[in-house]
């Protein structure tokens, strides 16, 4: 398995966010290194995002070396995108010190439409 930490984190998060209406997309490779949850329009992304760190504290420990990963949420249109960097690397720390914030990624609806149609198991098998 190429990304054991990210894969286990994904499984742990999917167990917690056990909602069949949520879609999961993974971009495990650099530069994105992301686990993206695509929520239905009726979900309150702000509330889910604000609760993320609390959720992470409740998940089982991962017995693999930690990896940099971004956990993010958005609607199927790409709107409402918000993200949290987990296990930042030294370049992230330098960027934060130099510019005061981490550059934000923008999601395009086309990017989501191509991938959302894949079953989650197929996405996991690719990583």
């Amino acid at each position: 398995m190429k990304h054991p930490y990210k894969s286990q984190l994904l499984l742990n998060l999917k167990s917690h966010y056990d909602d069949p209406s949520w879609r999961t997309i993974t971009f495990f490779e650099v530069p994105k290194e992301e686990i993206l949850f695509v929520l239905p329009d009726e979900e309150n992304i702000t509330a889910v995002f604000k609760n993320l760190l609390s959720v992470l504290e409740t998940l089982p420990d991962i017995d693999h070396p930690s990896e940099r990963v971004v956990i993010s949420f958005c609607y199927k249109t790409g709107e409402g995108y918000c993200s949290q960097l987990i296990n930042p690397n030294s370049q992230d720390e330098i960027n934060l010190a130099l510019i005061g914030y981490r550059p934000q990624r923008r999601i395009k609806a086309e990017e989501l439409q191509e991938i959302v149609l894949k079953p989650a198991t197929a996405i996991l098998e690719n990583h």
Side-chain angles (χ1 to χ4, degrees):
M1 187 179 304
K2 195 170 180 183
H3 296 282
Y5 180 90
K6 291 174 189 165
S7 297
Q8 186 61 57
L9 179 60
L10 174 62
L11 291 174
N12 292 351
L13 287 167
K14 286 180 71 70
S15 291
H16 179 82
Y17 296 127
D18 186 25
D19 187 329
S21 65
W22 290 32
R23 299 280 184 212
T24 308
I25 302 171
T26 59
F27 305 98
F28 282 175
E29 302 300 324
V30 173
K32 296 177 185 172
E33 300 178 271
E34 181 175 31
I35 296 172
L36 172 62
F37 290 97
V38 181
L39 280 58
D41 293 341
E42 60 274 5
E43 290 285 344
N44 182 338
I45 283 184
T46 303
V48 171
F49 179 69
K50 286 183 178 179
N51 196 37
L52 176 61
L53 294 179
S54 297
V55 167
L56 291 172
E57 290 176 359
T58 67
L59 298 178
D61 290 338
I62 299 174
D63 293 330
H64 299 288
S66 65
E67 297 177 72
R68 177 191 192 275
V69 62
V70 175
I71 301 171
S72 54
F73 305 91
C74 74
Y75 294 116
K76 62 186 173 191
T77 61
E79 296 295 315
Y81 180 84
C82 51
S83 64
Q84 175 68 50
L85 175 62
I86 307 299
N87 303 323
N89 62 26
S90 55
Q91 186 60 53
D92 293 319
E93 300 293 338
I94 291 168
N95 289 346
L96 185 59
L98 289 176
I99 62 176
Y101 62 92
R102 188 173 55 85
Q104 284 294 315
R105 174 165 133 68
R106 299 274 183 223
I107 300 287
K108 297 177 186 165
E110 308 84 57
E111 182 180 7
L112 295 174
Q113 298 310 314
E114 293 175 14
I115 302 172
V116 168
L117 299 176
K118 285 186 182 178
T121 54
I123 294 170
L124 272 176
E125 290 169 2
N126 292 331
H127 303 288

